Short mmCIF file of all heavy atoms in Angstrom, two decimals:
data_model
loop_
_atom_site.label_atom_id
_atom_site.label_comp_id
_atom_site.label_asym_id
_atom_site.label_seq_id
_atom_site.Cartn_x
_atom_site.Cartn_y
_atom_site.Cartn_z
N ALA A 9 1.18 38.26 -149.17
CA ALA A 9 0.91 39.70 -149.03
C ALA A 9 0.41 40.04 -147.63
O ALA A 9 -0.34 39.30 -147.02
CB ALA A 9 -0.12 40.15 -150.06
N LYS A 10 0.89 41.19 -147.15
CA LYS A 10 0.40 41.70 -145.87
C LYS A 10 -1.04 42.15 -146.05
O LYS A 10 -1.40 42.69 -147.09
CB LYS A 10 1.22 42.91 -145.42
CG LYS A 10 2.65 42.61 -145.09
CD LYS A 10 3.35 43.90 -144.70
CE LYS A 10 4.82 43.69 -144.50
NZ LYS A 10 5.51 44.96 -144.24
N ILE A 11 -1.83 41.94 -145.05
CA ILE A 11 -3.22 42.37 -145.10
C ILE A 11 -3.29 43.85 -144.70
O ILE A 11 -2.59 44.29 -143.80
CB ILE A 11 -4.09 41.48 -144.17
CG1 ILE A 11 -5.57 41.73 -144.40
CG2 ILE A 11 -3.71 41.62 -142.73
CD1 ILE A 11 -6.45 40.69 -143.72
N THR A 12 -4.14 44.62 -145.38
CA THR A 12 -4.27 46.04 -145.05
C THR A 12 -5.23 46.21 -143.87
O THR A 12 -5.96 45.29 -143.51
CB THR A 12 -4.83 46.84 -146.25
OG1 THR A 12 -6.17 46.41 -146.50
CG2 THR A 12 -3.97 46.67 -147.48
N LYS A 13 -5.23 47.41 -143.31
CA LYS A 13 -6.12 47.71 -142.18
C LYS A 13 -7.58 47.50 -142.59
O LYS A 13 -8.36 46.90 -141.85
CB LYS A 13 -5.88 49.15 -141.73
CG LYS A 13 -6.72 49.57 -140.54
CD LYS A 13 -6.37 50.99 -140.10
CE LYS A 13 -7.16 51.38 -138.88
NZ LYS A 13 -6.73 52.67 -138.34
N GLU A 14 -7.93 47.99 -143.77
CA GLU A 14 -9.31 47.87 -144.25
C GLU A 14 -9.70 46.41 -144.46
O GLU A 14 -10.81 45.99 -144.13
CB GLU A 14 -9.49 48.65 -145.56
CG GLU A 14 -9.40 50.16 -145.41
CD GLU A 14 -7.98 50.68 -145.20
OE1 GLU A 14 -7.00 49.98 -145.57
OE2 GLU A 14 -7.83 51.78 -144.65
N GLN A 15 -8.77 45.62 -145.01
CA GLN A 15 -9.03 44.20 -145.21
C GLN A 15 -9.19 43.47 -143.88
O GLN A 15 -10.04 42.59 -143.74
CB GLN A 15 -7.89 43.55 -146.02
CG GLN A 15 -7.84 44.01 -147.46
CD GLN A 15 -6.56 43.56 -148.16
OE1 GLN A 15 -5.49 43.47 -147.55
NE2 GLN A 15 -6.67 43.29 -149.46
N ALA A 16 -8.37 43.86 -142.89
CA ALA A 16 -8.44 43.23 -141.57
C ALA A 16 -9.79 43.53 -140.90
O ALA A 16 -10.40 42.64 -140.30
CB ALA A 16 -7.29 43.71 -140.69
N ILE A 17 -10.26 44.77 -141.01
CA ILE A 17 -11.55 45.15 -140.42
C ILE A 17 -12.68 44.36 -141.09
O ILE A 17 -13.56 43.81 -140.42
CB ILE A 17 -11.79 46.68 -140.55
CG1 ILE A 17 -10.82 47.43 -139.63
CG2 ILE A 17 -13.23 47.04 -140.24
CD1 ILE A 17 -10.77 48.93 -139.86
N LYS A 18 -12.65 44.29 -142.42
CA LYS A 18 -13.68 43.56 -143.16
C LYS A 18 -13.68 42.08 -142.76
O LYS A 18 -14.74 41.50 -142.54
CB LYS A 18 -13.43 43.70 -144.67
CG LYS A 18 -14.45 43.00 -145.53
CD LYS A 18 -14.15 43.19 -147.01
CE LYS A 18 -15.16 42.40 -147.84
NZ LYS A 18 -14.85 42.43 -149.25
N LEU A 19 -12.50 41.50 -142.67
CA LEU A 19 -12.38 40.09 -142.30
C LEU A 19 -12.90 39.83 -140.88
O LEU A 19 -13.61 38.85 -140.64
CB LEU A 19 -10.93 39.63 -142.44
CG LEU A 19 -10.65 38.15 -142.22
CD1 LEU A 19 -11.49 37.29 -143.16
CD2 LEU A 19 -9.17 37.87 -142.43
N LEU A 20 -12.58 40.73 -139.97
CA LEU A 20 -13.05 40.57 -138.59
C LEU A 20 -14.58 40.68 -138.51
O LEU A 20 -15.23 39.93 -137.77
CB LEU A 20 -12.38 41.59 -137.66
CG LEU A 20 -12.62 41.39 -136.17
CD1 LEU A 20 -12.12 40.01 -135.73
CD2 LEU A 20 -11.92 42.49 -135.38
N LYS A 21 -15.15 41.61 -139.28
CA LYS A 21 -16.61 41.73 -139.33
C LYS A 21 -17.26 40.47 -139.89
O LYS A 21 -18.30 40.02 -139.40
CB LYS A 21 -17.02 42.95 -140.16
CG LYS A 21 -16.78 44.28 -139.45
CD LYS A 21 -17.20 45.46 -140.32
CE LYS A 21 -16.97 46.76 -139.60
NZ LYS A 21 -17.34 47.92 -140.42
N GLU A 22 -16.62 39.89 -140.92
CA GLU A 22 -17.13 38.64 -141.49
C GLU A 22 -17.07 37.51 -140.46
O GLU A 22 -18.00 36.71 -140.34
CB GLU A 22 -16.33 38.26 -142.74
CG GLU A 22 -16.60 39.15 -143.93
CD GLU A 22 -15.67 38.88 -145.11
OE1 GLU A 22 -14.84 37.94 -145.03
OE2 GLU A 22 -15.76 39.63 -146.10
N LYS A 23 -15.98 37.47 -139.69
CA LYS A 23 -15.84 36.45 -138.64
C LYS A 23 -16.90 36.64 -137.56
O LYS A 23 -17.46 35.67 -137.05
CB LYS A 23 -14.43 36.49 -138.01
CG LYS A 23 -13.32 36.13 -138.94
CD LYS A 23 -13.26 34.66 -139.22
CE LYS A 23 -12.06 34.31 -140.08
NZ LYS A 23 -12.05 32.92 -140.48
N LYS A 24 -17.20 37.89 -137.24
CA LYS A 24 -18.23 38.19 -136.23
C LYS A 24 -19.60 37.70 -136.72
O LYS A 24 -20.38 37.11 -135.96
CB LYS A 24 -18.26 39.69 -135.93
CG LYS A 24 -19.35 40.13 -134.96
CD LYS A 24 -19.10 39.59 -133.56
CE LYS A 24 -20.06 40.26 -132.59
NZ LYS A 24 -20.79 39.29 -131.78
N ASP A 25 -19.89 37.95 -138.01
CA ASP A 25 -21.15 37.47 -138.59
C ASP A 25 -21.23 35.95 -138.52
O ASP A 25 -22.28 35.38 -138.20
CB ASP A 25 -21.29 37.93 -140.04
CG ASP A 25 -21.54 39.43 -140.16
OD1 ASP A 25 -21.92 40.07 -139.14
OD2 ASP A 25 -21.35 39.97 -141.27
N LEU A 26 -20.11 35.28 -138.82
CA LEU A 26 -20.08 33.81 -138.76
C LEU A 26 -20.28 33.32 -137.33
O LEU A 26 -20.94 32.30 -137.10
CB LEU A 26 -18.76 33.28 -139.33
CG LEU A 26 -18.54 33.49 -140.83
CD1 LEU A 26 -17.13 33.05 -141.23
CD2 LEU A 26 -19.59 32.73 -141.64
N LEU A 27 -19.73 34.05 -136.37
CA LEU A 27 -19.93 33.70 -134.95
C LEU A 27 -21.39 33.85 -134.57
O LEU A 27 -21.98 32.96 -133.95
CB LEU A 27 -19.05 34.59 -134.06
CG LEU A 27 -19.24 34.42 -132.55
CD1 LEU A 27 -18.79 33.02 -132.12
CD2 LEU A 27 -18.47 35.50 -131.79
N ASP A 28 -22.00 34.98 -134.96
CA ASP A 28 -23.41 35.23 -134.65
C ASP A 28 -24.34 34.19 -135.28
O ASP A 28 -25.39 33.87 -134.73
CB ASP A 28 -23.83 36.63 -135.12
CG ASP A 28 -23.12 37.73 -134.32
OD1 ASP A 28 -22.58 37.43 -133.22
OD2 ASP A 28 -23.09 38.89 -134.80
N LEU A 29 -23.94 33.66 -136.44
CA LEU A 29 -24.74 32.64 -137.11
C LEU A 29 -24.46 31.24 -136.55
O LEU A 29 -25.12 30.27 -136.96
CB LEU A 29 -24.46 32.65 -138.62
CG LEU A 29 -24.93 33.90 -139.37
CD1 LEU A 29 -24.33 33.92 -140.78
CD2 LEU A 29 -26.45 33.94 -139.43
N GLY A 30 -23.48 31.13 -135.66
CA GLY A 30 -23.15 29.84 -135.06
C GLY A 30 -22.31 28.95 -135.97
O GLY A 30 -22.19 27.75 -135.73
N ILE A 31 -21.70 29.54 -137.00
CA ILE A 31 -20.89 28.76 -137.94
C ILE A 31 -19.48 28.52 -137.39
O ILE A 31 -18.88 27.48 -137.64
CB ILE A 31 -20.86 29.44 -139.32
CG1 ILE A 31 -22.29 29.45 -139.89
CG2 ILE A 31 -19.89 28.77 -140.27
CD1 ILE A 31 -22.46 30.24 -141.15
N ILE A 32 -18.95 29.50 -136.64
CA ILE A 32 -17.65 29.32 -135.98
C ILE A 32 -17.84 29.48 -134.48
O ILE A 32 -18.84 30.04 -134.01
CB ILE A 32 -16.57 30.30 -136.50
CG1 ILE A 32 -16.94 31.76 -136.18
CG2 ILE A 32 -16.32 30.11 -137.98
CD1 ILE A 32 -15.82 32.75 -136.47
N THR A 33 -16.88 28.99 -133.71
CA THR A 33 -16.96 29.05 -132.24
C THR A 33 -16.39 30.37 -131.73
O THR A 33 -15.68 31.08 -132.46
CB THR A 33 -16.17 27.89 -131.61
OG1 THR A 33 -14.78 28.08 -131.92
CG2 THR A 33 -16.65 26.54 -132.11
N GLN A 34 -16.67 30.66 -130.47
CA GLN A 34 -16.11 31.86 -129.83
C GLN A 34 -14.59 31.79 -129.84
O GLN A 34 -13.91 32.79 -130.05
CB GLN A 34 -16.64 31.99 -128.39
CG GLN A 34 -16.16 33.24 -127.66
CD GLN A 34 -16.71 34.53 -128.25
OE1 GLN A 34 -17.90 34.63 -128.51
NE2 GLN A 34 -15.86 35.53 -128.44
N GLU A 35 -14.06 30.60 -129.63
CA GLU A 35 -12.60 30.40 -129.62
C GLU A 35 -11.99 30.75 -130.98
O GLU A 35 -10.95 31.41 -131.05
CB GLU A 35 -12.28 28.95 -129.26
CG GLU A 35 -10.81 28.65 -129.12
CD GLU A 35 -10.56 27.19 -128.77
OE1 GLU A 35 -11.05 26.74 -127.71
OE2 GLU A 35 -9.89 26.52 -129.58
N GLU A 36 -12.63 30.32 -132.08
CA GLU A 36 -12.14 30.63 -133.42
C GLU A 36 -12.20 32.13 -133.69
O GLU A 36 -11.29 32.72 -134.28
CB GLU A 36 -12.95 29.87 -134.48
CG GLU A 36 -12.71 28.37 -134.48
CD GLU A 36 -13.66 27.61 -135.37
OE1 GLU A 36 -14.89 27.85 -135.27
OE2 GLU A 36 -13.18 26.79 -136.17
N PHE A 37 -13.29 32.77 -133.24
CA PHE A 37 -13.42 34.22 -133.41
C PHE A 37 -12.34 34.95 -132.62
O PHE A 37 -11.70 35.88 -133.13
CB PHE A 37 -14.80 34.71 -132.98
CG PHE A 37 -14.92 36.21 -133.00
CD1 PHE A 37 -15.07 36.89 -134.20
CD2 PHE A 37 -14.84 36.95 -131.83
CE1 PHE A 37 -15.16 38.28 -134.22
CE2 PHE A 37 -14.92 38.33 -131.84
CZ PHE A 37 -15.08 39.00 -133.05
N ASP A 38 -12.12 34.53 -131.37
CA ASP A 38 -11.11 35.17 -130.52
C ASP A 38 -9.72 35.05 -131.13
O ASP A 38 -8.91 35.99 -131.07
CB ASP A 38 -11.14 34.58 -129.11
CG ASP A 38 -12.40 34.96 -128.34
OD1 ASP A 38 -13.09 35.93 -128.75
OD2 ASP A 38 -12.70 34.28 -127.34
N ARG A 39 -9.42 33.89 -131.71
CA ARG A 39 -8.12 33.67 -132.34
C ARG A 39 -7.96 34.62 -133.53
O ARG A 39 -6.91 35.25 -133.72
CB ARG A 39 -7.99 32.22 -132.77
CG ARG A 39 -6.60 31.84 -133.24
CD ARG A 39 -6.39 30.36 -133.50
NE ARG A 39 -7.55 29.67 -134.04
CZ ARG A 39 -8.19 28.67 -133.42
NH1 ARG A 39 -7.78 28.24 -132.25
NH2 ARG A 39 -9.24 28.09 -133.97
N ALA A 40 -9.00 34.76 -134.36
CA ALA A 40 -8.96 35.66 -135.51
C ALA A 40 -8.81 37.11 -135.05
O ALA A 40 -8.03 37.89 -135.62
CB ALA A 40 -10.22 35.51 -136.36
N LYS A 41 -9.52 37.47 -133.99
CA LYS A 41 -9.46 38.84 -133.45
C LYS A 41 -8.05 39.15 -132.96
O LYS A 41 -7.51 40.23 -133.21
CB LYS A 41 -10.47 39.00 -132.32
CG LYS A 41 -10.53 40.39 -131.74
CD LYS A 41 -11.59 40.48 -130.66
CE LYS A 41 -11.62 41.85 -130.05
NZ LYS A 41 -12.62 41.95 -128.96
N GLU A 42 -7.44 38.18 -132.28
CA GLU A 42 -6.09 38.36 -131.75
C GLU A 42 -5.09 38.55 -132.90
O GLU A 42 -4.18 39.38 -132.80
CB GLU A 42 -5.70 37.14 -130.92
CG GLU A 42 -4.36 37.27 -130.23
CD GLU A 42 -4.06 36.05 -129.38
OE1 GLU A 42 -4.98 35.46 -128.80
OE2 GLU A 42 -2.87 35.68 -129.32
N GLU A 43 -5.25 37.80 -133.99
CA GLU A 43 -4.35 37.91 -135.14
C GLU A 43 -4.54 39.21 -135.90
O GLU A 43 -3.57 39.80 -136.39
CB GLU A 43 -4.57 36.74 -136.10
CG GLU A 43 -4.12 35.39 -135.55
CD GLU A 43 -4.53 34.23 -136.44
OE1 GLU A 43 -5.08 34.46 -137.55
OE2 GLU A 43 -4.31 33.09 -136.04
#
């Protein structure tokens, strides 16, 4: 299934929280943001 705009925003916010907590790297966040 294609991801909706709302789902993409929510997912990106979750990735940002994980970045801020140090759980994922800046590179992983940037890759998710680009996608």
